[in-house]
Amino acid sequence: MSGLERDDVPRLRDDLETKFQEDLEDAVLDASRWPDLIERAARSSGSAGALLLRTDRTGLDALCTQSLAEPARRYFEEGWHREDHRLRGLPTLRTRGVTVDLDFTSPDEIARLPYYQDLLGSCGLRWFAGVGFEVKGRLWCLSLQRTVAQGPYEAHEQQRLATLSPLLRRAGLLTLMVEKARLAGLNQAFDVIERAALVLDSEGKVLCWNAAFTALLGPDLKLVSGRLVAEDPEAARQLEALTRPCGRAPISAVVVARRDAEPVVVHVVPLVGPSRGLFAGGRTLLLCRVAGATPVPATSVLQAAYRLTPAEARLAQALSGGESLAEAASRFAIAAATARSQLKAIFAKTGATRQADLVRLVAGLAR
């Protein structure tokens, strides 16, 4: 932890509150700016580093400055987050908006507790100020850290840090709204290509899903109390595994057997980067397809790819899905001659000479 043992770091800067509010506004518009935000918060508060995390969680969604990368790794991997002495400060964090070590710890305890001596001491750290804020009932903490040489956060500093709490609460709520809209848009995008999709949070609860997924729900695959469950025991076990708080999805696909229909294949796609969402907590995207079904793209894709009319695209989609020309004509209530005329136009525009060629072309677009 070279670079932490220094006593020349300035205290709270005069423009801390103003600059912090400007940075928060940028972070709301672009969630990828939150890591930059806590870096600047650490510098402006005269801290060695900072960590942003939910107080009731593991490190899945925590953000930290580069200077705290190693202490943060040890904090979670070695289990210190489960016996964090500073959790004593949560009541003060909720009521006052800020808490520091000496609110709940005596100097004698600091000198002997393993948390301070074994974890923090080995990393050159000692003093803490937590700025608390709630987002939809979840308590978050901007945890600022100082070295022994930098000294504790004094009373007048704590008062100024407390003014950041309502700013963080408002920015967190707005960011949550933006992230949820982004996840909903992701699901709607899959609706356009007629692909069933839903998003799980880090606790395995369903955040949102699209209309194509709703069509797959039934007695064998359903949503119960915000969770995706299956009647098939093996599929149920695998879906339950997605709720475990690990850093990556434990499986890549789940096959859900159904009694009166073909199985549903659920592909598991971990979300990364901005698509995940810091406050919305999106962790996993599930993409579903009925096993054995011929992949067929949306009619809008067929129109754009081959300049088909809406009627021609609809017929091409039906034929590629396995229907005969007569069956498609009957379903769309058109004369057989009209269907043959549309098929002739489809062949001319796609270059296909028979229905088997058309199926291969359209399936290629679906993949």
Side-chain angles (χ1 to χ4, degrees):
M1 294 300 296
S2 60
L4 291 183
E5 292 292 350
R6 32 189 282 242
D7 57 9
D8 59 344
V9 178
R11 293 292 186 171
L12 271 63
R13 295 180 182 174
D14 293 339
D15 63 348
L16 169 66
E17 296 88 346
T18 303
K19 189 66 175 69
F20 193 73
Q21 184 164 4
E22 293 174 358
D23 290 341
L24 280 173
E25 291 171 357
D26 290 339
V28 169
L29 297 175
D30 180 2
S32 66
R33 303 287 295 275
W34 277 88
D36 295 334
L37 168 71
I38 64 169
E39 287 277 4
R40 288 193 290 271
R43 292 195 299 268
S44 297
S45 61
S47 304
L51 183 73
L52 179 66
L53 73 168
R54 229 174 78 182
T55 60
D56 61 345
R57 292 283 291 282
T58 64
L60 283 172
D61 299 319
L63 296 177
C64 74
T65 59
Q66 187 58 41
S67 59
L68 295 188
E70 178 61 16
R73 182 193 65 78
R74 290 186 54 197
Y75 177 77
F76 292 110
E77 290 186 2
E78 296 177 12
W80 293 100
H81 63 290
R82 290 190 290 269
E83 48 185 291
D84 187 343
H85 177 76
R86 288 169 170 169
L87 293 176
R88 289 186 185 182
L90 290 184
T92 307
L93 195 67
R94 288 185 182 276
T95 57
R96 194 158 65 96
V98 67
T99 190
V100 296
D101 295 284
L102 295 178
D103 288 336
F104 49 83
T105 311
S106 68
D108 286 343
E109 287 179 308
I110 290 176
R112 63 178 173 79
L113 286 174
Y115 182 82
Y116 287 97
Q117 299 303 315
D118 296 346
L119 174 65
L120 298 179
S122 65
C123 296
L125 299 170
R126 169 65 57 83
W127 305 106
F128 150 85
V131 181
F133 61 103
E134 288 193 4
V135 177
K136 289 292 185 179
R138 305 284 194 177
L139 181 63
W140 287 75
C141 178
L142 175 62
S143 176
L144 301 168
Q145 308 287 330
R146 281 180 178 170
T147 65
V148 175
Q150 288 172 319
Y153 295 84
E154 299 174 3
H156 70 279
E157 294 178 304
Q158 296 172 40
Q159 291 174 359
R160 290 183 61 191
L161 289 174
T163 65
L164 304 183
S165 177
L167 300 178
L168 282 163
R169 181 171 61 248
R170 180 174 181 273
L173 181 59
L174 291 174
T175 302
L176 172 66
M177 295 169 64
V178 171
E179 290 172 346
K180 283 190 171 181
R182 183 181 295 116
L183 291 173
L186 178 66
N187 272 328
Q188 290 169 4
F190 281 108
D191 249 339
V192 171
I193 60 173
E194 300 179 357
R195 189 72 183 271
L198 73 163
V199 176
L200 305 180
D201 67 12
S202 54
E203 297 170 346
K205 292 185 177 179
V206 177
L207 288 174
C208 54
W209 64 92
N210 63 7
F213 176 78
T214 302
L216 297 178
L217 293 175
D220 301 300
L221 184 66
K222 50 195 171 185
L223 295 176
V224 178
S225 301
R227 296 186 184 277
L228 184 63
V229 298
E231 286 296 305
D232 174 34
E234 178 61 18
R237 182 190 66 78
Q238 293 177 321
L239 290 175
E240 193 277 332
L242 297 177
T243 69
R244 296 170 191 162
C246 58
R248 59 182 179 83
I251 49 181
S252 60
V254 178
V255 178
V256 181
R258 297 190 292 178
R259 285 164 289 186
D260 300 318
E262 292 295 322
V264 173
V265 181
V266 182
H267 295 279
V268 181
V269 183
L271 292 173
V272 296
S275 63
R276 188 182 186 111
L278 176 63
F279 295 99
R283 173 178 144 190
T284 309
L285 171 68
L286 301 184
L287 296 174
C288 309
R289 188 188 296 281
V290 176
T294 302
V296 179
T299 55
S300 59
V301 175
L302 290 169
Q303 287 179 245
Y306 296 114
R307 301 182 182 276
L308 302 181
T309 67
E312 291 166 355
R314 183 180 62 176
L315 180 61
Q317 186 187 58
L319 296 176
S320 300
E323 292 185 45
S324 68
L325 187 62
E327 290 170 335
S330 175
R331 181 156 69 91
F332 300 140
I334 59 176
T338 302
R340 287 194 295 271
S341 177
Q342 290 178 356
L343 180 58
K344 184 178 179 180
I346 293 168
F347 283 167
K349 293 177 180 180
T350 62
T353 58
R354 53 183 181 167
Q355 188 169 336
D357 295 334
L358 180 64
V359 170
R360 282 194 293 271
L361 286 172
V362 173
L365 280 179
R367 285 193 292 270

